[in-house]
Amino acid sequence: MREARYIIVDTLAATVDELCLKFGTWKTARALLRAAFRRRQTNQISHLSNRMRRDIGLPESEDVLLEARFSLWDIRL
């Protein structure tokens, strides 16, 4: 039962050429760029309010300017 199994993998250039023939050059290039960009994205938490930060267990932001925002709920009639 101990058989050595090898997966035959083409070179990168051959794989890219095959994708370009099948889908077109621009679609392949766009898909590769999207994949590279998507991999570099990280979760940004700088835009979260202090309430949301507390909800997920993060420390509150030290930025006081964000807390001094004007809210429409503050208007009393």
Side-chain angles (χ1 to χ4, degrees):
M1 287 290 309
R2 289 188 160 198
E3 260 179 52
R5 296 183 185 182
Y6 296 102
I7 299 173
I8 298 173
V9 178
D10 294 332
T11 62
L12 180 62
T15 305
V16 171
D17 285 339
E18 183 181 335
L19 288 171
C20 287
L21 289 175
K22 186 173 182 179
F23 297 108
T25 304
W26 291 110
K27 285 185 180 180
T28 304
R30 184 174 38 204
L32 289 172
L33 288 174
R34 277 187 185 171
F37 180 71
R38 216 179 289 141
R39 190 167 284 230
R40 288 187 181 182
Q41 285 181 338
T42 58
N43 292 334
Q44 298 293 326
I45 59 169
S46 60
H47 67 281
L48 295 177
S49 67
N50 282 336
R51 179 179 170 197
M52 292 179 88
R53 288 172 171 264
R54 283 191 305 268
D55 285 347
I56 61 174
L58 292 174
E60 291 186 8
S61 174
E62 298 293 328
D63 193 7
V64 180
L65 295 176
L66 290 177
E67 294 177 10
R69 287 186 283 186
F70 177 73
S71 174
L72 292 177
W73 293 105
D74 294 335
I75 299 175
R76 307 262 191 235
L77 294 175

Coordinates of all heavy atoms in Angstrom, one line a residue:
M1 N 0.8 -1.2 0.0 CA 0.0 0.0 0.0 C 0.9 1.3 0.0 O 0.3 2.3 -0.2 CB -0.9 0.1 1.2 CG -2.0 -0.9 1.3 SD -3.5 -0.8 0.4 CE -4.2 0.7 0.3
R2 N 2.1 1.1 0.3 CA 3.0 2.3 0.4 C 3.5 2.6 -1.0 O 4.6 2.3 -1.4 CB 4.1 2.1 1.3 CG 3.7 2.1 2.7 CD 4.9 2.0 3.6 NE 4.5 2.5 4.9 CZ 5.4 2.9 5.8 NH1 6.7 2.9 5.5 NH2 5.0 3.3 7.0
E3 N 2.7 3.3 -1.8 CA 3.1 3.7 -3.1 C 3.5 5.2 -3.1 O 2.8 6.0 -2.4 CB 1.9 3.6 -4.1 CG 1.9 2.4 -4.9 CD 0.7 2.3 -5.8 OE1 0.4 3.3 -6.5 OE2 0.0 1.3 -5.8
A4 N 4.5 5.5 -3.7 CA 4.9 6.9 -3.9 C 4.0 7.5 -4.9 O 4.0 7.1 -6.1 CB 6.3 7.0 -4.2
R5 N 3.2 8.5 -4.5 CA 2.3 9.2 -5.5 C 2.9 10.6 -5.7 O 3.1 11.4 -4.8 CB 0.9 9.3 -4.9 CG 0.3 7.9 -4.7 CD -1.1 8.0 -4.3 NE -1.6 6.7 -4.0 CZ -2.8 6.4 -3.6 NH1 -3.7 7.4 -3.4 NH2 -3.2 5.2 -3.4
Y6 N 3.0 10.9 -6.9 CA 3.6 12.2 -7.3 C 2.5 13.0 -8.1 O 1.9 12.4 -9.0 CB 4.8 12.1 -8.1 CG 6.0 11.5 -7.3 CD1 6.3 10.2 -7.5 CD2 6.7 12.2 -6.4 CE1 7.3 9.6 -6.8 CE2 7.7 11.7 -5.7 CZ 8.0 10.3 -5.9 OH 9.0 9.8 -5.1
I7 N 2.4 14.2 -7.8 CA 1.5 15.0 -8.6 C 2.3 15.8 -9.6 O 3.3 16.4 -9.3 CB 0.7 16.0 -7.7 CG1 -0.1 15.3 -6.7 CG2 -0.1 17.0 -8.6 CD1 -0.8 16.2 -5.7
I8 N 2.0 15.6 -10.9 CA 2.8 16.3 -11.9 C 2.3 17.7 -12.0 O 1.1 17.9 -12.4 CB 2.7 15.5 -13.2 CG1 3.2 14.1 -13.1 CG2 3.4 16.3 -14.3 CD1 3.0 13.2 -14.3
V9 N 3.1 18.6 -11.8 CA 2.8 20.0 -11.9 C 3.6 20.7 -13.0 O 4.8 20.5 -13.1 CB 3.1 20.7 -10.5 CG1 2.7 22.2 -10.6 CG2 2.3 20.0 -9.4
D10 N 2.8 21.4 -13.8 CA 3.5 22.2 -14.9 C 4.2 23.4 -14.2 O 4.0 23.8 -13.1 CB 2.5 22.7 -15.9 CG 1.8 21.6 -16.6 OD1 2.5 20.5 -16.8 OD2 0.7 21.8 -17.1
T11 N 5.1 23.9 -15.0 CA 5.8 25.1 -14.6 C 4.8 26.3 -14.5 O 3.7 26.2 -15.1 CB 7.0 25.5 -15.5 OG1 6.4 25.8 -16.8 CG2 8.0 24.3 -15.6
L12 N 5.2 27.3 -13.8 CA 4.3 28.5 -13.6 C 4.0 29.1 -15.0 O 2.9 29.5 -15.3 CB 5.0 29.5 -12.7 CG 4.2 30.7 -12.4 CD1 2.8 30.4 -11.8 CD2 5.0 31.7 -11.6
A13 N 5.1 29.2 -15.8 CA 4.9 29.8 -17.1 C 3.9 29.0 -18.0 O 3.0 29.6 -18.6 CB 6.2 29.9 -17.8
A14 N 4.0 27.7 -17.9 CA 3.0 26.9 -18.7 C 1.6 27.0 -18.2 O 0.7 27.1 -19.0 CB 3.5 25.4 -18.7
T15 N 1.5 27.1 -16.9 CA 0.1 27.3 -16.3 C -0.5 28.6 -16.6 O -1.6 28.7 -17.0 CB 0.2 27.1 -14.7 OG1 0.8 25.9 -14.4 CG2 -1.2 27.2 -14.1
V16 N 0.3 29.7 -16.6 CA -0.1 31.0 -16.9 C -0.5 31.1 -18.4 O -1.5 31.7 -18.8 CB 0.9 32.1 -16.6 CG1 0.5 33.5 -17.1 CG2 1.0 32.2 -15.0
D17 N 0.3 30.5 -19.3 CA 0.0 30.4 -20.7 C -1.3 29.7 -21.0 O -2.1 30.1 -21.8 CB 1.1 29.7 -21.5 CG 2.4 30.6 -21.6 OD1 2.2 31.8 -21.5 OD2 3.4 30.0 -21.9
E18 N -1.5 28.6 -20.2 CA -2.8 27.9 -20.4 C -4.0 28.7 -20.0 O -5.0 28.7 -20.6 CB -2.7 26.6 -19.6 CG -3.9 25.7 -19.7 CD -3.8 24.5 -18.8 OE1 -2.7 24.0 -18.5 OE2 -4.9 23.9 -18.5
L19 N -3.8 29.4 -18.9 CA -4.9 30.3 -18.4 C -5.2 31.4 -19.4 O -6.3 31.8 -19.6 CB -4.6 30.9 -17.0 CG -4.7 29.9 -15.8 CD1 -4.1 30.6 -14.6 CD2 -6.1 29.5 -15.6
C20 N -4.1 32.0 -20.0 CA -4.3 33.1 -20.9 C -5.0 32.6 -22.2 O -5.8 33.3 -22.8 CB -2.9 33.7 -21.3 SG -2.2 34.7 -20.0
L21 N -4.7 31.4 -22.6 CA -5.4 30.8 -23.8 C -6.8 30.5 -23.5 O -7.7 30.7 -24.4 CB -4.7 29.5 -24.2 CG -3.3 29.7 -24.9 CD1 -2.7 28.3 -25.2 CD2 -3.4 30.5 -26.2
K22 N -7.1 30.1 -22.3 CA -8.5 29.7 -22.0 C -9.4 30.9 -21.7 O -10.5 31.0 -22.1 CB -8.5 28.8 -20.7 CG -9.8 28.2 -20.4 CD -9.7 27.1 -19.3 CE -11.1 26.5 -19.0 NZ -11.0 25.5 -18.0
F23 N -8.9 31.9 -20.9 CA -9.7 33.0 -20.4 C -9.3 34.3 -21.1 O -10.1 35.3 -20.9 CB -9.6 33.1 -18.9 CG -10.1 31.9 -18.2 CD1 -9.3 31.1 -17.5 CD2 -11.5 31.7 -18.2 CE1 -9.8 30.0 -16.9 CE2 -12.0 30.6 -17.5 CZ -11.1 29.7 -16.9
G24 N -8.2 34.4 -21.7 CA -7.7 35.7 -22.2 C -6.7 36.4 -21.3 O -6.6 36.1 -20.1
T25 N -5.9 37.2 -21.9 CA -4.7 37.8 -21.2 C -5.2 38.8 -20.2 O -4.7 38.8 -19.0 CB -3.8 38.5 -22.2 OG1 -3.4 37.5 -23.2 CG2 -2.6 39.0 -21.5
W26 N -6.2 39.6 -20.5 CA -6.6 40.7 -19.6 C -7.3 40.1 -18.4 O -7.1 40.6 -17.3 CB -7.4 41.7 -20.3 CG -6.6 42.6 -21.3 CD1 -6.6 42.5 -22.6 CD2 -5.5 43.4 -20.9 NE1 -5.7 43.4 -23.1 CE2 -5.0 44.0 -22.1 CE3 -5.0 43.9 -19.7 CZ2 -4.0 44.9 -22.1 CZ3 -3.9 44.8 -19.7 CH2 -3.4 45.3 -20.9
K27 N -8.2 39.1 -18.6 CA -8.9 38.5 -17.5 C -8.0 37.8 -16.6 O -8.1 37.8 -15.4 CB -10.0 37.6 -18.0 CG -11.2 38.3 -18.6 CD -12.3 37.3 -19.0 CE -13.5 38.0 -19.5 NZ -14.5 37.0 -19.9
T28 N -7.0 37.1 -17.2 CA -6.0 36.4 -16.3 C -5.2 37.4 -15.5 O -4.9 37.2 -14.3 CB -5.1 35.6 -17.2 OG1 -5.9 34.7 -18.0 CG2 -4.1 34.8 -16.4
A29 N -4.7 38.5 -16.2 CA -3.9 39.5 -15.4 C -4.7 40.1 -14.3 O -4.2 40.3 -13.2 CB -3.4 40.5 -16.4
R30 N -6.0 40.5 -14.6 CA -6.8 41.1 -13.6 C -7.1 40.1 -12.5 O -7.0 40.6 -11.3 CB -8.2 41.5 -14.3 CG -9.1 42.2 -13.3 CD -10.3 42.8 -14.0 NE -10.8 41.8 -15.0 CZ -11.6 42.2 -16.0 NH1 -11.9 43.4 -16.2 NH2 -12.0 41.3 -16.9
A31 N -7.3 38.9 -12.7 CA -7.5 37.9 -11.7 C -6.3 37.7 -10.8 O -6.4 37.6 -9.6 CB -7.9 36.5 -12.3
L32 N -5.1 37.7 -11.4 CA -3.9 37.6 -10.7 C -3.6 38.8 -9.8 O -3.2 38.7 -8.6 CB -2.7 37.4 -11.6 CG -2.6 36.0 -12.3 CD1 -1.5 36.0 -13.3 CD2 -2.4 34.9 -11.3
L33 N -3.9 40.0 -10.3 CA -3.7 41.2 -9.5 C -4.7 41.3 -8.4 O -4.4 41.7 -7.2 CB -3.9 42.5 -10.4 CG -2.7 42.7 -11.3 CD1 -3.1 43.9 -12.3 CD2 -1.5 43.0 -10.6
R34 N -6.0 40.9 -8.6 CA -7.0 40.8 -7.5 C -6.5 39.8 -6.4 O -6.7 40.1 -5.2 CB -8.3 40.4 -8.1 CG -9.1 41.5 -8.7 CD -10.5 41.0 -9.0 NE -11.2 42.1 -9.7 CZ -12.4 41.9 -10.3 NH1 -13.0 40.7 -10.2 NH2 -13.0 42.9 -10.9
A35 N -6.0 38.7 -6.8 CA -5.6 37.7 -5.8 C -4.4 38.2 -5.0 O -4.4 38.0 -3.8 CB -5.2 36.4 -6.5
A36 N -3.5 38.9 -5.7 CA -2.4 39.5 -4.9 C -2.8 40.6 -4.0 O -2.3 40.7 -2.9 CB -1.3 40.0 -5.9
F37 N -3.7 41.4 -4.4 CA -4.2 42.5 -3.6 C -5.0 42.0 -2.4 O -4.9 42.5 -1.3 CB -5.1 43.5 -4.4 CG -5.6 44.6 -3.6 CD1 -4.8 45.6 -3.2 CD2 -6.9 44.7 -3.3 CE1 -5.3 46.7 -2.4 CE2 -7.4 45.7 -2.6 CZ -6.6 46.7 -2.1
R38 N -5.9 41.0 -2.7 CA -6.7 40.4 -1.6 C -5.8 39.8 -0.5 O -6.2 39.8 0.6 CB -7.6 39.4 -2.2 CG -9.0 39.4 -1.6 CD -9.9 38.4 -2.2 NE -10.3 38.8 -3.6 CZ -10.4 37.9 -4.6 NH1 -10.2 36.7 -4.4 NH2 -10.8 38.4 -5.8
R39 N -4.7 39.2 -0.9 CA -3.8 38.6 0.0 C -3.2 39.6 0.9 O -2.8 39.3 2.1 CB -2.8 37.8 -0.7 CG -2.0 36.9 0.2 CD -1.2 35.9 -0.6 NE -2.2 34.9 -1.1 CZ -1.9 33.6 -1.0 NH1 -0.8 33.2 -0.5 NH2 -2.8 32.7 -1.4
R40 N -2.9 40.8 0.4 CA -2.2 41.9 1.2 C -3.1 42.6 2.1 O -2.7 43.3 3.0 CB -1.6 42.9 0.2 CG -0.4 42.3 -0.5 CD 0.3 43.3 -1.3 NE 1.5 42.8 -1.9 CZ 2.3 43.5 -2.7 NH1 2.1 44.8 -2.8 NH2 3.3 42.9 -3.3
Q41 N -4.4 42.5 1.9 CA -5.4 43.2 2.8 C -5.3 42.7 4.2 O -5.2 41.5 4.4 CB -6.8 43.1 2.3 CG -7.1 44.0 1.0 CD -8.5 43.9 0.6 OE1 -9.2 42.9 0.9 NE2 -9.0 44.8 -0.1
T42 N -5.4 43.6 5.1 CA -5.5 43.2 6.5 C -6.7 43.7 7.2 O -7.3 44.7 6.6 CB -4.2 43.7 7.3 OG1 -4.2 45.1 7.2 CG2 -3.0 43.1 6.8
N43 N -7.1 43.2 8.3 CA -8.3 43.7 8.9 C -7.9 45.1 9.6 O -7.1 45.1 10.4 CB -8.8 42.8 10.0 CG -9.3 41.5 9.4 OD1 -9.8 41.5 8.2 ND2 -9.3 40.4 10.1
Q44 N -8.6 46.1 9.2 CA -8.4 47.4 9.7 C -9.4 47.7 10.8 O -10.6 47.5 10.7 CB -8.6 48.5 8.6 CG -7.6 48.4 7.5 CD -6.2 48.7 7.9 OE1 -5.9 49.5 8.8 NE2 -5.2 47.9 7.3
I45 N -8.9 48.1 12.0 CA -9.8 48.4 13.1 C -9.7 49.8 13.5 O -10.4 50.3 14.4 CB -9.4 47.5 14.3 CG1 -7.9 47.8 14.7 CG2 -9.6 46.0 14.1 CD1 -7.5 47.2 16.1
S46 N -9.0 50.6 12.7 CA -8.9 52.1 13.1 C -10.2 52.8 12.9 O -10.4 53.8 13.6 CB -7.8 52.7 12.2 OG -8.1 52.6 10.9
H47 N -11.1 52.3 12.1 CA -12.3 53.0 11.9 C -13.4 52.6 12.9 O -14.5 53.2 12.9 CB -12.8 52.8 10.4 CG -13.2 51.3 10.2 ND1 -12.3 50.4 10.0 CD2 -14.4 50.8 10.2 CE1 -12.9 49.2 9.9 NE2 -14.2 49.4 10.0
L48 N -13.2 51.7 13.7 CA -14.2 51.2 14.7 C -14.4 52.2 15.8 O -13.4 52.8 16.3 CB -13.8 49.8 15.2 CG -13.8 48.7 14.2 CD1 -13.3 47.4 14.9 CD2 -15.1 48.5 13.6
S49 N -15.6 52.3 16.2 CA -15.9 53.2 17.4 C -15.4 52.5 18.7 O -15.2 51.3 18.7 CB -17.3 53.5 17.5 OG -18.1 52.4 17.8
N50 N -15.3 53.2 19.8 CA -14.9 52.6 21.0 C -15.9 51.6 21.5 O -15.6 50.6 22.1 CB -14.7 53.7 22.1 CG -13.4 54.4 21.9 OD1 -12.5 53.9 21.4 ND2 -13.3 55.6 22.4
R51 N -17.2 51.8 21.2 CA -18.2 50.8 21.6 C -18.0 49.5 20.9 O -18.1 48.4 21.5 CB -19.6 51.4 21.3 CG -20.7 50.5 21.6 CD -22.0 51.1 21.3 NE -23.1 50.1 21.4 CZ -24.3 50.2 20.9 NH1 -24.6 51.3 20.2 NH2 -25.2 49.3 21.0
M52 N -17.7 49.6 19.6 CA -17.5 48.3 18.8 C -16.2 47.7 19.3 O -16.1 46.4 19.3 CB -17.4 48.6 17.3 CG -18.8 49.1 16.8 SD -18.7 49.4 15.0 CE -18.9 47.8 14.3
R53 N -15.2 48.5 19.6 CA -14.0 47.9 20.1 C -14.2 47.1 21.4 O -13.6 46.1 21.6 CB -12.9 49.0 20.3 CG -12.4 49.6 19.1 CD -11.5 50.8 19.4 NE -10.8 51.2 18.3 CZ -9.5 50.9 18.0 NH1 -8.8 50.1 18.8 NH2 -8.9 51.4 17.0
R54 N -15.0 47.7 22.3 CA -15.3 47.0 23.6 C -16.1 45.7 23.3 O -15.9 44.7 24.0 CB -16.1 47.9 24.5 CG -15.3 49.0 25.2 CD -16.1 49.7 26.3 NE -17.4 50.2 25.8 CZ -17.5 51.5 25.4 NH1 -16.5 52.3 25.3 NH2 -18.7 51.9 24.9
D55 N -17.0 45.8 22.4 CA -17.8 44.6 22.1 C -17.0 43.4 21.6 O -17.3 42.3 21.9 CB -18.8 44.9 21.0 CG -20.0 45.7 21.5 OD1 -20.1 45.9 22.7 OD2 -20.8 46.3 20.7
I56 N -15.9 43.6 20.9 CA -15.1 42.5 20.4 C -13.8 42.3 21.3 O -13.0 41.5 21.0 CB -14.7 42.7 18.9 CG1 -13.9 44.0 18.7 CG2 -15.9 42.7 18.1 CD1 -13.3 44.1 17.3
G57 N -13.7 43.1 22.4 CA -12.7 42.8 23.3 C -11.4 43.5 23.1 O -10.3 43.1 23.6
L58 N -11.4 44.6 22.3 CA -10.2 45.4 22.0 C -10.1 46.6 23.0 O -11.2 47.0 23.5 CB -10.2 45.9 20.6 CG -10.1 44.8 19.5 CD1 -10.3 45.5 18.1 CD2 -8.7 44.1 19.6
P59 N -8.9 47.1 23.2 CA -8.8 48.3 24.0 C -9.4 49.5 23.3 O -9.4 49.5 22.1 CB -7.3 48.5 24.3 CG -6.7 47.7 23.1 CD -7.6 46.6 22.8
E60 N -9.9 50.5 24.1 CA -10.5 51.6 23.5 C -9.4 52.5 22.8 O -8.3 52.5 23.2 CB -11.3 52.4 24.5 CG -12.5 51.7 25.0 CD -13.3 52.6 26.0 OE1 -13.0 53.8 26.1 OE2 -14.2 52.1 26.5
S61 N -9.9 53.3 21.8 CA -9.0 54.2 21.1 C -8.7 55.4 22.0 O -9.5 55.9 22.7 CB -9.6 54.6 19.8 OG -8.8 55.6 19.2
E62 N -7.5 55.9 21.9 CA -7.1 57.1 22.7 C -7.5 58.4 22.0 O -7.3 59.5 22.5 CB -5.5 57.1 22.9 CG -5.1 55.9 23.7 CD -5.6 55.9 25.1 OE1 -5.7 57.0 25.7 OE2 -5.8 54.8 25.7
D63 N -8.0 58.3 20.8 CA -8.3 59.5 20.0 C -9.6 60.2 20.6 O -10.7 59.7 20.5 CB -8.6 59.1 18.5 CG -8.6 60.3 17.6 OD1 -8.3 61.4 18.1 OD2 -8.9 60.1 16.4
V64 N -9.4 61.4 21.1 CA -10.5 62.1 21.8 C -11.3 62.8 20.8 O -12.5 63.1 21.0 CB -9.9 63.1 22.8 CG1 -11.0 63.8 23.5 CG2 -9.1 62.3 23.8
L65 N -10.8 63.2 19.6 CA -11.5 63.9 18.6 C -12.7 63.1 18.1 O -13.7 63.7 17.7 CB -10.6 64.3 17.5 CG -9.5 65.3 17.8 CD1 -8.6 65.5 16.6 CD2 -10.1 66.6 18.3
L66 N -12.6 61.8 18.0 CA -13.7 61.0 17.5 C -14.9 61.0 18.5 O -16.0 60.9 18.1 CB -13.2 59.6 17.2 CG -12.3 59.4 16.1 CD1 -11.9 58.0 15.9 CD2 -12.9 59.9 14.8
E67 N -14.6 61.1 19.8 CA -15.7 61.1 20.8 C -16.4 62.4 20.8 O -17.6 62.4 21.3 CB -15.1 60.8 22.1 CG -14.5 59.4 22.2 CD -13.8 59.2 23.6 OE1 -14.0 60.0 24.5 OE2 -13.2 58.2 23.7
A68 N -15.9 63.5 20.3 CA -16.5 64.8 20.4 C -17.3 65.1 19.1 O -17.6 66.2 18.8 CB -15.4 65.9 20.5
R69 N -17.8 64.0 18.4 CA -18.6 64.2 17.2 C -20.0 64.7 17.6 O -20.5 64.4 18.6 CB -18.7 62.9 16.5 CG -17.4 62.5 15.8 CD -17.7 61.3 14.9 NE -17.7 60.2 15.8 CZ -17.8 58.9 15.5 NH1 -17.9 58.6 14.2 NH2 -17.8 58.0 16.3
F70 N -20.5 65.5 16.7 CA -21.9 66.0 16.9 C -22.8 64.9 16.4 O -22.7 64.4 15.3 CB -22.0 67.3 16.1 CG -23.4 67.8 16.2 CD1 -23.9 68.4 17.3 CD2 -24.3 67.8 15.1 CE1 -25.2 68.9 17.4 CE2 -25.5 68.3 15.1 CZ -26.0 68.9 16.3
S71 N -23.9 64.6 17.1 CA -24.8 63.6 16.7 C -26.2 64.3 16.6 O -26.5 65.2 17.4 CB -24.9 62.5 17.8 OG -25.9 61.7 17.5
L72 N -27.0 63.9 15.7 CA -28.4 64.4 15.5 C -29.2 64.0 16.7 O -30.2 64.7 17.0 CB -29.0 63.9 14.2 CG -28.3 64.4 12.9 CD1 -29.0 63.8 11.7 CD2 -28.4 65.9 12.8
W73 N -28.9 63.0 17.5 CA -29.6 62.7 18.6 C -29.5 63.7 19.8 O -30.2 63.7 20.7 CB -29.2 61.3 19.1 CG -29.6 60.2 18.1 CD1 -28.8 59.5 17.3 CD2 -31.0 59.7 17.9 NE1 -29.5 58.7 16.5 CE2 -30.9 58.8 16.9 CE3 -32.2 60.0 18.4 CZ2 -32.0 58.1 16.4 CZ3 -33.3 59.3 17.9 CH2 -33.2 58.4 16.9
D74 N -28.4 64.5 19.7 CA -28.2 65.5 20.7 C -29.2 66.7 20.6 O -29.2 67.5 21.5 CB -26.8 66.0 20.7 CG -25.8 64.9 21.1 OD1 -26.2 64.0 21.8 OD2 -24.6 65.0 20.6
I75 N -29.8 66.8 19.5 CA -30.7 68.0 19.2 C -32.0 67.7 20.0 O -32.7 66.7 19.9 CB -31.1 68.2 17.8 CG1 -29.8 68.4 17.0 CG2 -32.1 69.3 17.6 CD1 -30.0 68.5 15.5
R76 N -32.3 68.7 20.9 CA -33.6 68.6 21.7 C -34.6 69.7 21.1 O -34.2 70.8 20.9 CB -33.3 68.9 23.1 CG -32.2 68.1 23.7 CD -32.8 67.0 24.5 NE -31.7 66.3 25.2 CZ -31.4 65.1 25.1 NH1 -32.1 64.3 24.3 NH2 -30.4 64.6 25.8
L77 N -35.8 69.3 21.0 CA -36.8 70.2 20.5 C -37.7 70.7 21.6 O -38.0 70.2 22.6 CB -37.7 69.5 19.4 CG -37.0 69.2 18.1 CD1 -37.9 68.4 17.2 CD2 -36.4 70.4 17.4

